[in-house]
Amino acid sequence: MFSEIITVGDEILRGDILNGNAKWLARRLTALGVTVRRITSVGDDIEEIKSALREALRRNNSYIFITGGLGPTRDDMTMEAVAKALSRKLVLSEEGLRWVREKYKRAKERGLIEDESMTPSRLKMAMIPEGATPIYNPLGAATSAKLEVGGTKIFVLPGVPAEMVAIFESIEPEIKGVRAYHKRLKVHTRDESGIAHIIDEVYEKYGVKVASYPKIKAGEDFWVELRLSSDDRDMLKSSFMFLKQQLETRGIKVEELAEDKVEDEWEVEVTSSPRSARGSHRKP
Amino acid sequence: MFSEIITVGDEILRGDILNGNAKWLARRLTALGVTVRRITSVGDDIEEIKSALREALRRNNSYIFITGGLGPTRDDMTMEAVAKALSRKLVLSEEGLRWVREKYKRAKERGLIEDESMTPSRLKMAMIPEGATPIYNPLGAATSAKLEVGGTKIFVLPGVPAEMVAIFESIEPEIKGVRAYHKRLKVHTRDESGIAHIIDEVYEKYGVKVASYPKIKAGEDFWVELRLSSDDRDMLKSSFMFLKQQLETRGIKVEELAEDKVEDEWEVEVTSSPRSARGSHRKP
């Protein structure tokens, strides 16, 4: 089960913000057993979005997630680009229109806006590619959408983190993955190159993939994280025991690491908290 | 001046870590006046790295930055993939070899390792594509490299943040950009869709690009950031004055924002501090 993520927005390409949307989606898809093969970030540019999507479609993914560029302003052009990439028309979704109307109606009732009329920029948020299915956005006015092309399911999600998270969770049941297993090992060595041949041996003996991540933390001793992954649980176990024993017989101390806790030099919580609910001003 | 960034590493595609390397490079390139057109993240996979580089080369970039996968273990395969993508041989750099030798010699002198001999996995860190120029890595053993293909300069940098930062700064003088100007405006409105037509007017009148970023922060009122950008300073100024006046005549309060301070829901400092110097165990 392969998938790709395409994030749209100049702010990523300018390095103004970290791509937390991509990280959040990648982590969730991985947990679902879907292998994320590529993450592509393009700007607010129809041609760029178009070509990124067409290239991803050529790679026969089961899923493609596009996030960003669904708002009311002219720099929001993802739906139009998706339609163009698939040589389809951009059409008004009746359902989407009903949702958008309702949002602004309630926003006016709450005194958040003065005028609830369907201006072109509000209508824009109900436009989706022909043949696509609109997806309700519980936190914003911009309509999300899904469509299937060949064997690939394409999901077009907002870039507003809270909205993206909420919509992803509503479509999650549609996403089927293959369970993969992994084990992580903390190896107390200062010299990654000194254990490389053992990693080779594990790979050749068991065909299990071993990734190596050297770590350093102020005040802590150097260490190397080894990450074994396989879809064969028994094979993973045996290769893990072999690796552990190979290291220990060389007098290298090792500890098994918990699966969930991952070291990240830039780790920050990616949440759907109000703080990250950029654009929830559209919230009715 | 267009450029692309390719980051290599399964940890990004699994969503284990944020792509801080891409953000750091994008921000620095933007500051140098180089437009980052695309950021692509691929895994530790020769075919994926190869195709990502070949695709980027077809888009006629002035610069391509590839970061990650330069270490001693089998999951570090970027140099080999770059060589394959360009149909070149992977060769031992005499200069690189001298550097690697020296690193391990000093590491042994300092008692960090027991054996300084040039094992295959250490030699690996002195291998670069034929015709490439090795770049000294002041913080690690993995040799960096640059090469030119057609009009495109390709820089192959380590994924270890501190190493990447140090090497980028050593090559920065080679990077030429075109100064672009921008102004940022804080617009006190709850309704992004209500100002979309003014943004259109600015674009049609001045041809200046206006990006719109709705913002919300707990305890603060909703607001929208508008970002005008142009390479024509005077045009930018006039369009900015026009936009400001259009909003104010509609009773919408606006404030000019400083250029440097950017809102980021996931903002964290990307530094070259020891804490982020993953892999500096190779440091002699």
Side-chain angles (χ1 to χ4, degrees):
Chain A
M1 284 302 183
F2 287 108
S3 90
E4 292 193 33
I5 297 166
I6 299 170
T7 70
V8 178
D10 290 348
E11 63 273 38
I12 298 285
L13 299 182
R14 278 193 312 262
D16 285 348
I17 64 170
L18 282 156
N19 198 343
N21 282 354
K23 183 196 166 169
W24 189 90
L25 283 171
R27 188 170 243 172
R28 285 296 278 260
L29 290 167
T30 303
L32 289 166
V34 175
T35 303
V36 177
R37 179 160 39 183
R38 191 179 290 216
I39 298 170
T40 307
S41 298
V42 293
D44 303 308
D45 179 294
I46 288 194
E47 288 311 311
E48 280 296 315
I49 303 166
K50 226 176 82 179
S51 69
L53 176 55
R54 284 187 173 169
E55 289 159 21
L57 279 167
R58 277 196 290 273
R59 286 185 288 264
N60 301 317
N61 293 285
S62 303
Y63 307 102
I64 297 173
F65 297 85
I66 307 173
T67 170
L70 301 192
T73 52
R74 69 179 304 120
D75 59 320
D76 297 306
M77 49 188 79
T78 300
M79 284 294 184
E80 186 184 345
V82 171
K84 284 212 164 89
L86 306 172
S87 313
R88 299 189 186 189
K89 283 210 240 53
L90 190 67
V91 297
L92 185 73
S93 158
E94 283 311 321
E95 213 170 351
L97 179 59
R98 209 167 54 244
W99 295 333
V100 176
R101 264 194 220 287
E102 185 55 27
K103 300 269 182 189
Y104 285 102
K105 186 167 165 294
R106 271 182 285 152
K108 194 190 173 189
E109 285 164 5
R110 297 181 172 203
L112 299 177
I113 58 169
E114 282 161 17
D115 172 19
E116 67 180 273
S117 61
M118 281 297 107
T119 57
S121 49
R122 286 171 183 169
L123 274 176
K124 186 168 174 285
M125 294 189 282
M127 306 286 281
I128 62 175
E130 195 164 30
T133 309
I135 305 173
Y136 181 71
N137 182 341
L139 297 179
T143 303
S144 194
K146 66 177 172 183
L147 52 163
E148 197 156 345
V149 178
T152 309
K153 280 189 176 178
I154 303 169
F155 294 95
V156 189
L157 309 172
V160 178
E163 298 179 17
M164 182 196 75
V165 166
I167 293 168
F168 181 88
E169 284 170 347
S170 75
I171 56 159
E172 201 166 12
E174 298 179 44
I175 297 161
K176 307 262 163 285
V178 181
R179 181 88 171 86
Y181 304 94
H182 68 271
K183 276 181 168 293
R184 296 168 56 230
L185 201 60
K186 182 172 186 170
V187 183
H188 294 274
T189 178
R190 293 166 165 280
D191 178 25
E192 188 186 18
S193 68
I195 60 172
H197 65 284
I198 305 174
I199 293 172
D200 292 342
E201 214 178 321
V202 171
Y203 182 79
E204 279 138 27
K205 241 174 118 75
Y206 301 90
V208 166
K209 194 171 183 184
V210 184
S212 172
Y213 305 109
K215 305 280 186 184
I216 174 168
K217 233 175 168 178
E220 263 184 32
D221 204 356
F222 307 129
W223 57 283
V224 175
E225 176 190 327
L226 294 182
R227 190 180 186 285
L228 289 76
S229 49
S230 170
D231 49 16
D232 180 333
R233 200 169 203 164
D234 301 328
M235 192 60 91
L236 182 73
K237 209 172 236 160
S238 341
S239 61
F240 181 77
M241 293 318 297
F242 174 80
L243 174 63
K244 203 160 168 299
Q245 174 254 325
Q246 287 295 310
L247 291 165
E248 284 168 342
T249 53
R250 283 167 179 78
I252 300 168
K253 205 165 133 279
V254 296
E255 299 162 50
E256 187 164 355
L257 287 168
E259 287 210 4
D260 47 2
K261 177 76 199 77
V262 179
E263 292 274 321
D264 180 2
E265 285 112 24
W266 297 290
E267 188 56 280
V268 279
E269 212 38 70
V270 179
T271 65
S272 54
S273 74
R275 203 201 166 290
S276 68
R278 194 175 88 186
S280 308
H281 68 299
R282 307 202 196 105
K283 202 178 300 177
Chain B
M1 284 301 183
F2 287 109
S3 88
E4 293 192 33
I5 297 166
I6 299 170
T7 70
V8 178
D10 289 349
E11 63 274 38
I12 298 286
L13 298 182
R14 280 194 309 263
D16 285 347
I17 65 169
L18 283 155
N19 199 343
N21 282 354
K23 184 196 164 167
W24 189 91
L25 283 171
R27 188 170 244 172
R28 285 295 277 263
L29 290 167
T30 302
L32 290 167
V34 175
T35 303
V36 177
R37 179 160 39 182
R38 190 179 290 217
I39 298 170
T40 307
S41 298
V42 293
D44 303 308
D45 180 294
I46 288 193
E47 286 312 310
E48 280 297 314
I49 303 166
K50 225 176 82 179
S51 69
L53 176 55
R54 284 188 172 166
E55 289 159 21
L57 279 167
R58 277 197 291 273
R59 287 186 286 265
N60 301 318
N61 293 285
S62 303
Y63 307 102
I64 297 172
F65 297 86
I66 307 173
T67 171
L70 302 193
T73 52
R74 68 179 305 124
D75 58 321
D76 297 307
M77 49 188 79
T78 300
M79 284 293 183
E80 187 184 344
V82 171
K84 283 212 165 88
L86 306 173
S87 314
R88 299 190 187 189
K89 283 210 242 46
L90 190 67
V91 296
L92 184 72
S93 159
E94 283 312 320
E95 214 170 352
L97 178 60
R98 209 168 53 247
W99 294 333
V100 176
R101 263 193 220 288
E102 185 55 26
K103 299 270 182 191
Y104 284 102
K105 187 167 165 293
R106 273 184 282 149
K108 194 190 173 189
E109 284 162 7
R110 296 182 173 203
L112 299 177
I113 56 169
E114 282 160 20
D115 172 18
E116 66 181 272
S117 59
M118 279 298 106
T119 58
S121 49
R122 286 172 184 169
L123 274 176
K124 185 167 174 282
M125 293 189 282
M127 306 286 280
I128 61 174
E130 196 164 30
T133 308
I135 304 173
Y136 181 69
N137 182 342
L139 297 179
T143 304
S144 192
K146 67 176 172 182
L147 52 163
E148 195 155 347
V149 179
T152 309
K153 279 188 178 181
I154 303 169
F155 295 95
V156 189
L157 309 173
V160 178
E163 297 179 18
M164 183 197 74
V165 167
I167 293 167
F168 182 88
E169 283 169 349
S170 76
I171 56 159
E172 201 167 13
E174 296 178 45
I175 298 161
K176 308 263 162 283
V178 181
R179 181 87 171 86
Y181 304 95
H182 68 272
K183 276 181 167 295
R184 297 166 56 229
L185 202 60
K186 182 172 186 171
V187 183
H188 294 273
T189 177
R190 293 166 165 281
D191 178 25
E192 188 187 17
S193 68
I195 60 170
H197 66 285
I198 304 174
I199 293 172
D200 291 342
E201 216 178 320
V202 171
Y203 181 79
E204 279 140 26
K205 243 174 117 77
Y206 300 91
V208 167
K209 193 170 183 183
V210 185
S212 172
Y213 305 109
K215 305 281 186 182
I216 176 168
K217 232 174 165 179
E220 265 183 31
D221 204 355
F222 306 130
W223 58 281
V224 176
E225 176 190 327
L226 293 183
R227 190 181 185 286
L228 289 75
S229 49
S230 169
D231 50 15
D232 181 331
R233 200 167 203 166
D234 301 329
M235 192 61 92
L236 182 72
K237 209 172 237 159
S238 338
S239 61
F240 182 76
M241 294 317 298
F242 174 80
L243 174 63
K244 203 161 167 297
Q245 172 257 323
Q246 286 296 310
L247 291 164
E248 284 168 342
T249 53
R250 285 168 177 79
I252 299 168
K253 205 165 133 280
V254 295
E255 298 162 52
E256 185 163 357
L257 287 167
E259 287 210 3
D260 46 3
K261 177 77 198 73
V262 178
E263 293 273 320
D264 180 0
E265 284 113 27
W266 296 290
E267 187 56 279
V268 277
E269 213 37 69
V270 179
T271 63
S272 53
S273 74
R275 202 201 166 292
S276 66
R278 192 175 89 186
S280 308
H281 68 301
R282 305 200 198 106
K283 202 179 300 173

